[in-house]
Amino acid sequence: MPMKSTADRYGTVAVAIHWLSAALVLVLLASGFRAAGTIDPTAKASLLRVHAVVGATVLVLTLARIAWWVFADRRPAEAAGMPRLQARAARAVHLLFYVVLIGMAASGVGMLALSGAANILFGNAPGPLPDFMAYAPRIPHGLGALLLVALVLAHVAAALYHQFVMRDRLLARMGIG
Ligand code: HEM
């Protein structure tokens, strides 16, 4: 598979960023919801350390992905035979992924910076961890998490619909099959 995309499939760089981001976003959703529901301070701090580092990694991957599309590569053509409305919905979901992921990372960093929790998690500052609900970025971070879950479900459902109902082997464009 070539590094760059062709008219009918994604290249290795786009495929690698896609699947790595997908796996890391699942880690973020699991660790984020888990941390929010955990009272034990040691367990919460461990979860948030992983969460913050993986979140920052996803931000870097998302910015790298944008730079890759802008400067180095061109997307494959839209899947053949897609009705116009469906193609628009797909474009909207893809764009929203970028917006929501960057917004989640920004609000996450904002929460840690404003609350001083970064020094507790990664420096020598003594605990306890703050109540993140007292800081404004917690609201968009929580709402963004729910929107992200909806986007992931829509994205996966659309891919499965193409693969198994339309039988257009869409997943092969992203390196599967
Ligand atoms: C980039 C993608 C990210 C995703 C998908 C994500 C996801 C989540 C989710 C699902 C929650 C739980 C929300 C809720 O229950 O309402 C959460 C909470 C949280 N996240 Fe993130 N997050 C991301 C990035 C970050 C980053 C970069 C940081 C810090 C540098 C961060 C820090 C936090 C904190 C402090 C909480 C609050 C935990 C609590 O309320 O006890 N997140 N995140």
Side-chain angles (χ1 to χ4, degrees), residues 61-165:
L61 277 176
T62 305
L63 297 177
R65 193 202 289 230
I66 293 171
W68 178 253
W69 288 127
V70 171
F71 298 113
D73 200 1
R74 289 189 60 162
R75 271 161 219 289
E78 247 148 38
M82 251 215 286
R84 183 176 287 219
L85 194 69
Q86 216 173 304
R88 271 198 198 158
R91 271 201 300 274
V93 168
H94 296 164
L95 183 70
L96 269 174
F97 264 120
Y98 287 97
V99 174
V100 173
L101 285 178
I102 291 173
M104 290 299 287
S107 54
V109 170
M111 256 189 289
L112 288 205
L114 290 176
S115 66
N119 285 331
I120 300 171
L121 293 174
F122 298 107
N124 301 322
L129 280 171
D131 172 10
F132 293 105
M133 285 297 181
Y135 297 89
R138 181 66 178 82
I139 309 283
H141 204 75
L143 293 175
L146 297 180
L147 179 55
L148 190 58
V149 171
L151 288 175
V152 169
L153 291 178
H155 187 68
V156 172
L160 295 179
Y161 177 79
H162 273 275
Q163 188 75 8
F164 297 112
V165 179

Side-chain angles (χ1 to χ4, degrees), residues 42-73:
T42 316
K44 192 176 178 106
S46 303
L47 283 165
L48 283 178
R49 263 183 220 110
V50 172
H51 186 77
V53 171
V54 175
T57 309
V58 166
L59 174 64
V60 171
L61 277 176
T62 305
L63 297 177
R65 193 202 289 230
I66 293 171
W68 178 253
W69 288 127
V70 171
F71 298 113
D73 200 1

